[in-house]
């Protein structure tokens, strides 16, 4: 899907969800979840293209595959956290949304520690 189609889908979904806001507000949440999943499904093709390009760059650069795995995990955590946090905010549960975001940030920090350690060791090797 193109960006224009995604924009139209999003606006149409919001307008549809607004129709249920006064009566059955839970339907608006369900609509936002379905829209989010549809948009994510349309992203999968673009994500696979990005993965192919990054794998090609990796083969030329010769970087460790563990770093790329970590990068993809971080990307997945970020998207999942944003998606679930936005749903919680839409439902009116800002505190839970904040906790999801904090958990995601700490998880990303933990995942990035080995990469940071390798970077610092490389810098130390240049200085010695």
């Amino acid at each position: 899907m193109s960006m224009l189609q995604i924009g139209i889908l999003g606006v149409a979904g919001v307008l549809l969800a607004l129709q249920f806001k006064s009566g059955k507000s839970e339907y608006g949440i369900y609509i936002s979840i379905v829209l989010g999943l549809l948009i994510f499904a349309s992203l999968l093709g673009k994500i696979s293209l990005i993965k192919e390009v990054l794998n090609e760059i990796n083969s030329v650069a010769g970087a460790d595959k563990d770093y790329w795995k970590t990068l993809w995990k971080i990307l997945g955590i970020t998207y999942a956290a944003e998606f679930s946090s936005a749903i919680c905010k839409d439902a009116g549960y800002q505190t839970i949304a904040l906790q999801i975001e904090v958990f995601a940030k700490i998880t990303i920090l933990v995942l990035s520690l080995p990469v940071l350690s390798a970077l610092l060791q490389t810098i130390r090797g240049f200085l010695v």
Side-chain angles (χ1 to χ4, degrees), residues 61-83:
D64 190 7
K65 287 197 179 241
D66 290 335
Y67 297 137
W68 293 107
K69 287 181 185 177
T70 302
L71 178 68
W72 282 109
K73 286 179 185 178
I74 289 172
L75 182 65
I77 289 168
T78 302
Y79 189 80
E82 284 292 320
F83 183 71

Side-chain angles (χ1 to χ4, degrees), residues 5-112:
Q5 290 171 324
I6 294 295
I8 291 170
L9 180 67
V11 170
V14 167
L15 291 175
L16 183 62
L18 284 174
Q19 298 299 317
F20 294 108
K21 190 164 186 126
S22 61
K24 299 271 188 176
S25 61
E26 65 271 7
Y27 290 156
I29 296 168
Y30 299 145
I31 291 170
S32 70
I33 291 171
V34 169
L35 279 173
L37 291 174
L38 283 172
I39 292 170
F40 179 72
S42 68
L43 275 177
L44 290 178
K46 295 182 189 308
I47 290 174
S48 65
L49 177 66
I50 292 171
K51 186 175 182 181
E52 290 173 13
V53 170
L54 287 178
N55 285 336
E56 186 177 320
I57 291 171
N58 184 36
S59 66
V60 171
D64 190 7
K65 287 197 179 241
D66 290 335
Y67 297 137
W68 293 107
K69 287 181 185 177
T70 302
L71 178 68
W72 282 109
K73 286 179 185 178
I74 289 172
L75 182 65
I77 289 168
T78 302
Y79 189 80
E82 284 292 320
F83 183 71
S84 56
S85 174
I87 290 173
C88 291
K89 286 179 184 175
D90 285 346
Y93 294 97
Q94 282 79 14
T95 305
I96 295 173
L98 179 64
Q99 293 300 316
I100 291 170
E101 291 171 4
V102 168
F103 184 82
K105 289 174 186 176
I106 291 173
T107 304
I108 289 170
L109 176 65
V110 169
L111 278 174
S112 65

